[in-house]
Amino acid sequence: MPSVPKPFRGLTKKSGGKRPASSIRVPAEQAIESCRVFIDGEALPGNYTPQAAREKIDEYGRGFIWVSLHAPMEAQMTKIALQFGIHELIVEDAVQAHQRPKLERYEDQLFVVARSVRYRDHDEVSDTRQIISTGEIQMVIGPSFIITIRHGAKIPDLESRLVGDEELVTAGPIAICWKILDVIVDTYATITDELSEEVDSIEEEVFTPGMQFNIDRIYSYKREILEMKHAINPLAPALKALHSENKDMVPKNIRSYLRDVYDNELVVRDQVAGFDERLSSLLDASVAKVSIQQNQDMRTISAVVGMAAGPTMIAGIYGMNFDVMPELHLQHGYLYALIAMVLVVAVMFWWFRRNDWL
């Protein structure tokens, strides 16, 4: 039999028992995207209101409810909390969003927060800060219900994946939690594969001689990968605690699946950390390469200026207005001066090429 929810006492600890006044009353139903009832591993047809769903669970004496919410306001979340006996500390976190990935337990309720990650190719965005965008998915898990709350993210379509898998669905609400986390981590893995190609491409541009590269692109990916690290790294301790420290609420078969998700998350975390280190090295290498190229350019410019200085000096000497000068009235003096200029330039060119200045 589903447990009787404990009375909701309001936002007392975090907000000092005071709720901000609001002149606009928005029905809680507007935040509800779906409310499904699962009995014996099967989803009953149609959507329910939370009250009707609880009555259906009471009628069967088994099963669980899945309520999906989208960015609920405080009044909406408070009303749903009253119906399901959700702990007051969970309500404030669910409304405020912007939580780090975490796992918290309140008696017989679990509150899980995970960050979704979306990747778009560098060429598809006008603002480089849109390459990696994150959202937030929260899950409140009780003995007979799971409430998913999304902020800037999409809840995966799980019904088709759960149909026919009686072992999982009969495990209760925690099976829905596992499947959502599994899809989120699988998305992480897909994004890391795409990022790996981008980092390889940047690395090839930086280390291929003569190839032009854009250092701003490296900075962009460095910043976006740091954002991804902040989104996914805290999830690993939450996953570990979920399958190892809450065995009374997580069946044995689900713990095995959660361990697999945890292992996959560790692999992704290590890959993203590797990308971060590689991009840091690429930044250092690109800055060094730019400095070397600038030095090479300065040497080339200096060599050109030096070669121009020889003929200029000869022309300057023989352009002085003095009557008594050696070779001033030679018949072929102009030709000799030109030959001297060419020889000076040729010797300097040979010397600069020998020393790799040109």
Side-chain angles (χ1 to χ4, degrees):
M1 293 290 289
S3 62
V4 178
K6 297 177 175 57
F8 178 78
R9 297 184 296 277
L11 306 179
T12 56
K13 278 192 178 180
K14 287 189 178 180
S15 57
K18 296 180 181 179
R19 294 190 183 126
S22 176
S23 58
I24 301 176
R25 298 295 179 181
V26 181
E29 289 73 17
Q30 288 191 11
I32 299 176
E33 295 184 310
S34 66
C35 181
R36 306 299 304 274
V37 176
F38 289 81
I39 303 293
D40 297 332
E42 295 289 338
L44 300 185
N47 269 308
Y48 293 78
T49 64
Q51 182 61 36
R54 292 197 63 82
E55 291 173 358
K56 185 63 69 173
I57 292 294
D58 292 338
E59 176 186 339
Y60 279 90
R62 60 188 183 278
F64 67 91
I65 304 166
W66 179 10
V67 182
S68 180
L69 305 177
H70 177 218
M73 293 189 292
E74 183 181 337
Q76 296 170 322
M77 192 65 204
T78 299
K79 183 176 180 180
I80 294 171
L82 287 169
Q83 293 174 319
F84 289 93
I86 298 173
H87 198 281
E88 60 266 22
L89 297 181
I90 296 176
V91 175
E92 186 171 351
D93 285 346
V95 173
Q96 290 180 348
H98 304 296
Q99 305 291 319
R100 284 170 52 88
K102 63 180 179 179
L103 168 68
E104 294 178 346
R105 178 162 182 171
Y106 300 90
E107 299 179 0
D108 61 347
Q109 296 175 3
L110 295 175
F111 180 55
V112 181
V113 179
R115 305 284 299 181
S116 66
V117 178
R118 181 188 178 195
Y119 169 77
R120 290 192 291 178
D121 189 80
H122 186 273
D123 298 330
E124 298 177 1
V125 297
S126 56
D127 184 353
T128 54
R129 292 182 180 273
Q130 298 173 351
I131 296 174
I132 297 289
S133 56
T134 61
E136 185 173 327
I137 296 178
Q138 305 168 340
M139 289 168 277
V140 186
I141 306 157
S144 62
F145 68 87
I146 177 171
I147 299 175
T148 55
I149 306 145
R150 69 183 184 93
H151 297 270
K154 291 184 178 180
I155 299 293
D157 181 14
L158 301 182
E159 189 168 337
S160 59
R161 307 185 189 199
L162 295 172
V163 171
D165 202 335
E166 185 176 344
E167 178 188 9
L168 290 179
V169 182
T170 53
I174 195 66
I176 303 292
C177 173
W178 160 71
K179 199 62 183 177
I180 291 175
L181 293 172
D182 185 47
V183 172
I184 289 175
V185 173
D186 283 347
T187 303
Y188 293 167
T190 302
I191 291 173
T192 55
D193 290 340
E194 296 176 352
L195 286 173
S196 178
E197 296 178 3
E198 290 293 337
V199 175
D200 288 343
S201 174
I202 294 173
E203 193 171 50
E204 183 178 357
E205 291 178 1
V206 171
F207 291 112
T208 300
M211 180 175 283
Q212 297 294 323
F213 62 90
N214 185 359
I215 196 170
D216 290 338
R217 185 182 177 203
I218 305 176
Y219 277 110
S220 298
Y221 274 96
K222 172 74 172 175
R223 181 183 62 237
E224 296 302 293
I225 285 177
L226 280 174
E227 181 175 350
M228 187 173 177
K229 280 181 65 177
H230 296 156
I232 70 175
N233 282 10
L235 183 60
L239 288 170
K240 183 177 182 180
L242 186 60
H243 71 74
S244 64
E245 299 176 11
N246 297 276
K247 295 182 179 180
D248 57 322
M249 292 190 65
V250 183
K252 185 176 181 179
N253 60 330
I254 300 298
R255 292 202 297 270
S256 300
Y257 291 121
L258 285 171
R259 277 194 296 270
D260 181 65
V261 176
Y262 171 67
D263 291 339
N264 293 337
E265 207 278 342
L266 290 180
V267 171
V268 170
R269 188 176 68 170
D270 291 343
Q271 287 178 323
V272 173
F275 295 154
D276 186 34
E277 292 176 2
R278 287 173 65 187
L279 286 173
S280 296
S281 299
L282 287 174
L283 278 175
D284 295 339
S286 61
V287 170
K289 190 173 181 180
V290 167
S291 299
I292 292 172
Q293 184 62 48
Q294 289 176 342
N295 291 336
Q296 180 65 37
D297 293 342
M298 289 302 298
R299 288 197 304 178
T300 301
I301 293 171
S302 300
V304 171
V305 172
M307 288 189 297
T312 302
M313 181 183 66
I314 296 174
I317 291 174
Y318 283 95
M320 292 188 293
N321 297 321
F322 295 105
D323 288 333
V324 182
M325 288 181 64
E327 295 89 26
L328 183 62
H329 299 288
L330 287 179
Q331 182 180 0
H332 303 291
Y334 176 68
L335 178 61
Y336 295 155
L338 291 180
I339 293 173
M341 292 179 187
V342 171
L343 287 175
V344 168
V345 171
V347 170
M348 295 182 71
F349 180 80
W350 170 80
W351 189 82
F352 286 135
R353 284 296 297 269
R354 182 181 180 184
N355 291 276
D356 295 326
W357 280 50
L358 290 174

